[in-house]
Amino acid sequence: MVGYSMNKKDLKDRLRRIEGQVRGLQRMVDEDTYCIDILTQLNSASAALKAVGMGLLDGHVRHCVTESIEQGRGEEKVEELMAAVGRLAGR
Amino acid sequence: MVGYSMNKKDLKDRLRRIEGQVRGLQRMVDEDTYCIDILTQLNSASAALKAVGMGLLDGHVRHCVTESIEQGRGEEKVEELMAAVGRLAGR
Amino acid sequence: MVGYSMNKKDLKDRLRRIEGQVRGLQRMVDEDTYCIDILTQLNSASAALKAVGMGLLDGHVRHCVTESIEQGRGEEKVEELMAAVGRLAGR
Amino acid sequence: MVGYSMNKKDLKDRLRRIEGQVRGLQRMVDEDTYCIDILTQLNSASAALKAVGMGLLDGHVRHCVTESIEQGRGEEKVEELMAAVGRLAGR
């Protein structure tokens, strides 16, 4: 139901796993693992990182942006939010 | 200043240009244009489409989402917004 | 088995459908369709366009790049291919 | 000139930096850094990871794929390559 929502512990746990994946990537490069297998692992780390980005964005919209709008000063937050979405969406 | 904002006319003009680009792509395929040149044109159409997506999202946040939050019923809109951002960001 | 392969007719048929989708998007904007519904349609057109890009790239690698390498002059084609992949992958 | 090419040392150095960035992200989450600033750092790590992916792919095409084609058994490698490109391009 909650979609992308993550609490602080979720975020940290996921980031710790991603750190481990990136360390694994170094080992794979070091051991001359087959490129395509390294790429598969890299794509998995990349997707996990994007999921954390979505989790952060979700929390940001639910708290910061919502609060700002409720207090009648949402304009600037919305501007900033859209810039962040644009970067996350790769443009 | 306004970042991604587009009015209805902007959106329609951009979509009409994208339609023209997609028609151009069909012609290029038909005339056996060099693949890499077709891909360049395709990427341009793709980026233009993503920009329209950002424009739509921007308007949506500024109007629908903001209004819903102001009226104390933002929860559902935020849920829906995040799902749309996730799809636009490619996950 | 063949993954992304598309023949000329496939490519043109898909592009014609995408052109129709983009035309549909203009209509949706014109009729003030709910933003999120327009975005859903836009993402579908965007994914379809990316699929055509993969189809073009696939054909390019199978024919142009393969031939160039077989003739001992693959270097330049590989350079060009990687640039196209980089653009398609959004960087 | 060389575009995306990276040697083993390049790849490892970049991955080590990305590992550091991901560790930095955990610290930022822990210290309740402003979401948008965390997202900026996350996007930077994400782009760096994608660049490594392009470097790996570039080496793979230049060596494995090229060799296989030269030896007249490129078909399978091209299949595998396109699947990897598709994943990297996010579909």
Side-chain angles (χ1 to χ4, degrees):
Chain A
M1 198 69 98
V2 236
Y4 294 104
S5 287
M6 296 176 198
N7 61 32
K8 201 166 159 174
K9 191 187 170 313
D10 283 343
L11 290 168
K12 285 173 61 186
D13 286 352
R14 282 167 183 256
L15 285 167
R16 198 171 319 117
R17 269 200 298 278
I18 296 169
E19 190 195 329
Q21 285 181 298
V22 176
R23 215 175 301 121
L25 285 168
Q26 294 170 65
R27 210 177 314 121
M28 291 172 103
V29 169
D30 209 37
E31 297 169 353
D32 296 311
T33 306
Y34 184 52
C35 292
I36 296 291
D37 295 334
I38 310 184
L39 274 169
T40 301
Q41 167 85 345
L42 184 145
N43 279 319
S44 155
S46 194
L49 206 51
K50 212 166 193 177
V52 169
M54 286 300 298
L56 285 165
L57 205 61
D58 185 278
H60 182 64
V61 173
R62 276 175 211 283
H63 305 120
C64 288
V65 178
T66 296
E67 251 171 61
S68 295
I69 291 172
E70 283 168 354
Q71 296 170 1
R73 43 179 191 70
E75 178 73 15
E76 195 196 332
K77 286 292 173 210
V78 168
E79 203 79 34
E80 189 188 58
L81 170 68
M82 291 311 299
V85 169
R87 285 194 302 269
L88 203 72
R91 46 157 294 116
Chain B
M1 197 70 97
V2 237
Y4 294 104
S5 288
M6 296 175 198
N7 60 33
K8 201 167 160 173
K9 192 187 170 312
D10 283 343
L11 290 168
K12 285 172 61 186
D13 286 350
R14 282 169 183 255
L15 285 167
R16 196 170 320 116
R17 269 199 299 277
I18 295 168
E19 189 194 331
Q21 284 181 299
V22 176
R23 215 175 299 120
L25 284 167
Q26 294 169 66
R27 211 176 312 120
M28 289 172 103
V29 168
D30 209 37
E31 296 168 354
D32 296 311
T33 306
Y34 184 51
C35 292
I36 297 290
D37 295 334
I38 310 184
L39 274 169
T40 301
Q41 168 84 347
L42 184 145
N43 280 319
S44 155
S46 193
L49 206 51
K50 212 166 194 177
V52 170
M54 286 300 299
L56 285 165
L57 204 61
D58 185 278
H60 182 63
V61 173
R62 277 174 210 285
H63 304 120
C64 290
V65 179
T66 296
E67 250 171 62
S68 295
I69 292 173
E70 284 168 354
Q71 296 169 0
R73 41 176 194 74
E75 179 72 15
E76 194 195 333
K77 286 292 174 207
V78 168
E79 203 79 35
E80 187 189 59
L81 170 68
M82 291 310 300
V85 170
R87 285 194 301 269
L88 202 70
R91 45 158 296 116
Chain C
M1 198 66 102
V2 235
Y4 294 104
S5 288
M6 296 175 198
N7 61 32
K8 201 167 160 172
K9 192 186 169 312
D10 283 342
L11 290 168
K12 285 172 62 185
D13 285 351
R14 282 169 183 254
L15 285 168
R16 197 171 319 115
R17 267 198 301 277
I18 295 168
E19 188 194 331
Q21 285 181 298
V22 176
R23 214 175 301 120
L25 284 168
Q26 294 170 66
R27 211 177 312 119
M28 290 172 103
V29 169
D30 210 36
E31 296 168 355
D32 297 311
T33 306
Y34 184 51
C35 293
I36 297 291
D37 295 334
I38 310 184
L39 274 169
T40 301
Q41 168 85 346
L42 184 145
N43 279 319
S44 155
S46 193
L49 207 50
K50 212 165 194 177
V52 170
M54 287 300 300
L56 285 165
L57 204 61
D58 185 278
H60 182 63
V61 173
R62 276 174 211 284
H63 305 119
C64 289
V65 179
T66 296
E67 251 172 59
S68 294
I69 291 173
E70 284 169 353
Q71 296 168 1
R73 42 176 194 73
E75 179 73 15
E76 195 196 331
K77 285 291 174 210
V78 168
E79 203 79 35
E80 187 188 60
L81 169 68
M82 290 310 299
V85 170
R87 284 194 301 269
L88 202 71
R91 46 158 297 117
Chain D
M1 198 67 99
V2 235
Y4 293 104
S5 287
M6 296 175 199
N7 61 33
K8 201 167 159 172
K9 191 187 171 313
D10 283 344
L11 291 168
K12 284 172 61 186
D13 286 352
R14 282 168 182 257
L15 285 168
R16 197 171 319 118
R17 268 200 299 278
I18 295 168
E19 189 194 329
Q21 285 181 299
V22 176
R23 215 175 300 122
L25 285 168
Q26 294 170 65
R27 210 178 312 122
M28 291 172 103
V29 169
D30 209 36
E31 296 170 352
D32 296 311
T33 306
Y34 184 52
C35 294
I36 296 291
D37 295 334
I38 310 183
L39 274 168
T40 301
Q41 167 85 347
L42 185 145
N43 279 319
S44 156
S46 193
L49 207 51
K50 212 165 193 178
V52 169
M54 287 300 298
L56 285 165
L57 204 61
D58 184 279
H60 182 64
V61 174
R62 278 175 209 283
H63 305 120
C64 290
V65 179
T66 296
E67 251 172 60
S68 295
I69 292 172
E70 283 168 355
Q71 296 169 1
R73 43 177 192 73
E75 178 72 16
E76 194 196 334
K77 286 291 174 209
V78 168
E79 203 78 35
E80 187 188 59
L81 170 69
M82 290 312 298
V85 169
R87 283 194 301 269
L88 202 71
R91 46 158 294 116

